[in-house]
Amino acid sequence: MPMLRDPSAKYRPFPQVPLATREWPGRTITRAPIWLSTDLRDGNQALIDPMDAEKKTRFFDLLVKCGLKEIEVGFPASGATDFDYIQNLVRSGRIPDDVTPQVLTQARADLIRTSFDSLEGARTAIVHLYNAVSPAWRRIVFNMEMADIKAIAVEGAKQLRDNAARLPGTDWRFEYSPETFSTAELDFSIECCAAVMDILQPTADNPIILNLPATVEAATPNIYADQIEYFAKHLPNREAAIISLHTHNDRGTGVAAAELGLLAGADRVEGCLFGNGERTGNTCLVTIALNMYTQGVDPELDFSDIDEVIRTVEYCNQLPVHPRHPYGGELVYTAFSGSHQDAIKKGFAARLRQNDEKWEVPYLPIDPADLGRSYEAVIRVNSQSGKGGVAWVLEQDKGLKLPKKMQASFSHIVQAVADETSRELAADDIWQAFEATYLATDGKRFQLVDWTETHSGPDRIFAGKLTIDGSERSVSGRGNGLMSSVIAALAESGGPLMDIVDYSEHAIGQGSNVQAAAYVECRTGDGKSLFGCGLDTDVATASVRAILSAANGA
């Protein structure tokens, strides 16, 4: 069936929230929320092949290493696999004292009891109770009225209270979700939450967690923020509740909805690393945390080795992290476009000149090094790349700092290789092209064998042995400097007539035995520009090689 020309005949716009004055648009995020990972529960249930105990344990250890203090470890009433894993996790002593495990349960007495039993022996634990409250679920799924739905929540809360009393050895905390909150009547969600609070009697010192899920993301993120602010302003005994967010990504704005929800007054965010979860995914904790980091806010999560995090997540989930995923994707710090490469290269150069602690590099909102990424992959070369990208790769890989005009000239050579191969060029490909163009001697007309220099008054005399057209010859030339005397020697030996337009040199690396790189731009009598490069531990020899390199391009 084709898409409708008039979708309003089938779909209705989401209604606005009756919020007379909203405060969230004027706020900023200034501190980290409480984080909860639901990778082992919501994320796990979304996998084609759910994790076994080994993968779950490996994932749990990763979450702890990253700094998560609350981790939803499973749905113990779903079966023996989850129950046994959770019970073994508790008994193993693997849970640090500052980490609180959480389990999820539907509002049924037998399931709630099983959930408590799975956590028996834990120092502290959260039991997360939920029931769906929105009209579509009431009418289509349950065939119930509002009073029936509220009664389920109240009875579930009583079960939480009674089971906590049954197992007093654990410091029990409670979470309640009016599931499908995002598509429910706000006042009814508040009514259900208030009824649960009346049973459990939370206080400011011992608050309940009220989780407000965008079970189905059905509106723009500002609507969700309005819902959160409305809820927070109208909830009785607000100081006794931690408001938690659980956004899904049906519209592709789960991260934005969570961020705006924090502005609207929420205290806690639930999600998964890299956004796994049914159906279109949960909000990505990595993205939200590093968004904060780029604004100068400590997210209190550590992704200093993001590649190791990705390897573990991909292994446990058996799902790839998209190469364009924010912050973590393989290509998110990589520029192929010539204009992007040029801007990034200039940004790094400016940082070296200014020695400014504040990060400001075009196209890079975060320093890749903060996440354990190297700068080598920031710029990669293909047929879309420009001179800046080629120069960057040579500088990062070989320490060569090509003059600007030489960058432009050599980029055309690299472009031709990229067009011919129709693929990305690796650093080795670029180096091979550079060697063949400027440094190779085999098959070249002029090759250096040996040389000396003497002085005659103001002049300098170059005397050398060169291989010219395959035959070794002694040559000499006079000039006002070394390079002009080399050019004179070449001219007297049938070489091109050239004038020096530009010359530069630099050391490669540091120390007493480093190589020198010399670059020269020459111009022939007919106006052709020739570029050359020479490398040697002796800077004078490097400059001689650079002249011969340019002459070989005539």
Side-chain angles (χ1 to χ4, degrees), residues 161-178:
R161 178 196 62 194
D162 295 346
N163 277 278
R166 179 174 64 87
L167 298 171
T170 296
D171 177 16
W172 297 104
R173 297 169 55 201
F174 306 122
E175 177 172 348
Y176 172 67
S177 288

Side-chain angles (χ1 to χ4, degrees), residues 87-142:
Q87 184 70 118
N88 290 336
L89 183 66
V90 170
R91 293 174 177 173
S92 69
R94 202 177 201 96
I95 304 173
D97 288 344
D98 62 346
V99 172
T100 302
Q102 173 174 306
V103 297
L104 182 72
T105 179
Q106 294 165 311
R108 277 176 38 191
D110 56 331
L111 304 184
I112 293 171
R113 185 180 183 90
T114 298
S115 299
F116 273 85
D117 289 344
S118 74
L119 290 167
E120 184 177 3
R123 184 186 60 82
T124 183
I126 302 169
V127 179
H128 180 185
L129 173 77
Y130 76 95
N131 68 303
V133 300
S134 68
W137 271 256
R138 295 196 308 262
R139 185 179 68 255
I140 299 170
V141 181
F142 303 123

Side-chain angles (χ1 to χ4, degrees), residues 47-67:
L47 301 178
I48 298 171
D49 297 311
M51 287 180 266
D52 58 18
E54 184 271 331
K55 286 187 172 73
K56 281 189 174 183
T57 300
R58 183 166 171 176
F59 211 131
F60 179 85
D61 290 346
L62 171 70
L63 294 169
V64 170
K65 185 178 179 180
C66 290

Side-chain angles (χ1 to χ4, degrees), residues 485-507:
S485 65
V486 175
I487 289 176
L490 287 173
E492 293 178 9
S493 306
L497 298 175
M498 304 185 299
D499 291 319
I500 296 174
V501 176
D502 186 50
Y503 172 81
S504 62
E505 63 186 44
H506 66 81

Side-chain angles (χ1 to χ4, degrees), residues 138-218:
R138 295 196 308 262
R139 185 179 68 255
I140 299 170
V141 181
F142 303 123
N143 192 27
M144 290 182 176
E145 301 297 325
M146 284 183 172
D148 302 315
I149 297 296
K150 179 180 174 182
I152 291 174
V154 169
E155 179 57 30
K158 291 178 180 178
Q159 294 294 327
L160 293 182
R161 178 196 62 194
D162 295 346
N163 277 278
R166 179 174 64 87
L167 298 171
T170 296
D171 177 16
W172 297 104
R173 297 169 55 201
F174 306 122
E175 177 172 348
Y176 172 67
S177 288
E179 194 200 6
T180 65
F181 166 84
S182 55
T183 52
E185 305 92 338
L186 281 167
D187 290 332
F188 183 55
S189 292
I190 292 171
E191 185 180 339
C192 289
C193 289
V196 169
M197 292 174 74
D198 287 343
I199 300 299
L200 297 176
Q201 292 294 301
T203 65
D205 293 332
N206 186 27
I208 187 173
I209 301 167
L210 296 178
N211 187 51
L212 307 179
T215 306
V216 178
E217 187 181 36

Side-chain angles (χ1 to χ4, degrees), residues 31-33 35 66-68 297-302:
R31 60 183 176 84
W35 302 103
C66 290
L68 274 297
V297 176
D298 179 6
E300 299 177 13
L301 294 178
D302 186 359

